[in-house]
Amino acid sequence: MTLSGVYVPLITPFDAAGAVAHAALEALAHQVLDAGAAGLVALGTTAEPASLDPAEQRAVLDTLTRVCRERQAPLLVGANTPAAVTALGGRPEVAAALSLVPPFVRPGEAGVVAHFAALAAASPVPLVVYHVPYRTGQQLRPDTLRRLAELPGVIGVKLAVGALDTDAVDLLAEPPANFAVLGGDDVVISPLLALGAHGGVLASAHLATAGFVELVDAWRAGDAGRARALGHRLSALSAALFAAPNPTVVKAVLHAEGRIPTATVRLPLLAPDDATVEAALARLAGVGAPVGARS
C-alpha cells in the first residue's frame, strides 16, 4: 500500500483543568475523517508529545486507535526508538510509525540509513521517515532518500525541508516505486503536489479540511487552474496558522470555532497573541470551505 491523501496530525486538546480532553480529541478525529482526510497521525509534533506523560501518550493512542478501527482509517504514530515502535505491535489500525531522522546527533547520511535499517528490522509496523532537517540538523540528499526507500519496511517519507528545493524536485522527478512522498511543510504543499507528491501530513488541515482534500484531488485530476487558485488560499491560511509556534495558533482557532474546550498549550509553548489568532480566523474565512465538513 502506498500512502496518499491528507493525513491530519492531531493536536492534543486539554480541558479547563489541564487534562487531556479525550471527547474533544475523538470528535476532532471524526470531523476530519468526515471531511475526507485519508487518515490520522497520533503523537506527532503537533500533539505536543514531549509534554505528555507516558500514561497520557498511551491514552491518546488508545482514543485514536479506536476511532480508526471504527472508521477503517489508517493511523500513523510518532515513534522514534525500537521500544516505541515495538509497542505498536498488536494495533492493526497502525499503518506505519512516523520516525524522525535522529535529531541533534548528525550521524551523516550513511548513519541515518543504518539507523533506519535497524529500526525497521525491530519494528512490527512499516516506517515513514520524518525528514525535517531544520529541526534535526541532518540533511539527506535524494540518493540517500532512495537508499532509504530500498530498505525493507520503509514505505515513505514525510518531506519537511522548509522550502521547495532542488532536492525535492530531483526526488519527485524519479520517485522510488511503492514509496510515498508526503509533504510536511503546509505552506508549500500545493507546488509539492504539482510535482507529484502523494499527499501531505498537514497540521493546517485541522481547519478547512475539505479544502486540503480538494487540493490533493485537483492536482491528481490534472485540474491545474482549480488547484492553483485553491492552493494560494490554503497557503495563506497555513502561513497564518504557523505565524507562531505550532500548534498554538491551530489550537486557538479550533477553540474560537468551539471545537475544543480550551486553547491551552503546555510549556515550553505559549499562547499566541490575539492579533495572530484574528489574522488566522480571517484567512480561514477567506478559504471558502466549511470547517470540518466537505466542500
Side-chain angles (χ1 to χ4, degrees):
M1 177 186 71
T2 301
L3 302 173
S4 62
V6 174
Y7 283 76
V8 181
L10 286 171
I11 60 138
T12 304
F14 301 117
D15 63 22
V20 176
H22 284 280
L25 177 62
E26 185 171 351
L28 279 175
H30 282 293
Q31 287 164 8
V32 298
L33 291 172
D34 286 344
L40 307 176
V41 181
L43 303 176
T45 306
T46 304
E48 303 172 72
S51 76
L52 304 177
D53 65 34
E56 289 174 323
Q57 291 183 8
R58 287 192 297 272
V60 165
L61 183 54
D62 287 344
T63 294
L64 296 181
T65 298
R66 184 175 64 254
V67 171
C68 288
R69 181 168 59 249
E70 293 172 1
R71 301 296 298 269
Q72 297 186 322
L75 179 66
L76 308 185
V77 181
N80 304 305
T81 65
V85 296
T86 299
L88 300 177
R91 294 182 184 265
E93 301 80 11
V94 177
L98 181 61
S99 303
L100 268 173
V101 170
F104 302 109
V105 181
R106 299 179 71 183
E109 293 177 89
V112 170
V113 174
H115 165 79
F116 276 103
L119 191 62
S123 179
V125 300
L127 304 183
V128 172
V129 175
Y130 185 4
H131 179 35
V132 55
Y134 54 87
R135 292 182 186 269
T136 66
Q138 178 66 64
Q139 293 287 343
L140 299 178
R141 293 168 297 175
D143 61 336
T144 301
L145 291 171
R146 293 189 178 96
R147 288 174 63 197
L148 288 168
E150 293 173 356
L151 294 174
V154 176
I155 63 169
V157 61
K158 178 184 175 184
L159 198 63
V161 299
L164 188 65
D165 64 4
T166 55
D167 284 350
V169 174
D170 184 320
L171 178 67
L172 287 166
E174 296 183 44
N178 303 313
F179 183 76
V181 178
L182 301 174
D185 288 309
D186 298 25
V187 173
V188 295
I189 187 59
S190 185
L192 199 64
L193 291 167
L195 288 170
H198 297 84
V201 177
L202 306 172
S204 301
H206 282 85
L207 293 312
T209 312
F212 284 98
V213 172
E214 182 184 354
L215 179 68
V216 173
D217 290 345
W219 280 119
R220 281 180 181 164
D223 189 347
R226 179 163 62 103
R228 286 194 195 101
L230 182 56
H232 290 155
R233 298 197 301 276
L234 291 172
S235 177
L237 171 62
S238 294
L241 291 171
F242 280 80
N246 186 50
T248 62
V249 185
V250 169
K251 279 190 157 184
V253 173
L254 287 170
H255 178 55
E257 294 285 326
R259 297 171 64 195
I260 58 175
T262 74
T264 300
V265 291
R266 290 180 176 175
L267 289 172
L269 295 173
L270 298 173
D273 60 51
D274 290 345
T276 298
V277 178
E278 290 166 5
L281 285 165
R283 287 297 188 185
L284 178 59
V287 170
V291 176
R294 282 190 183 275
S295 59

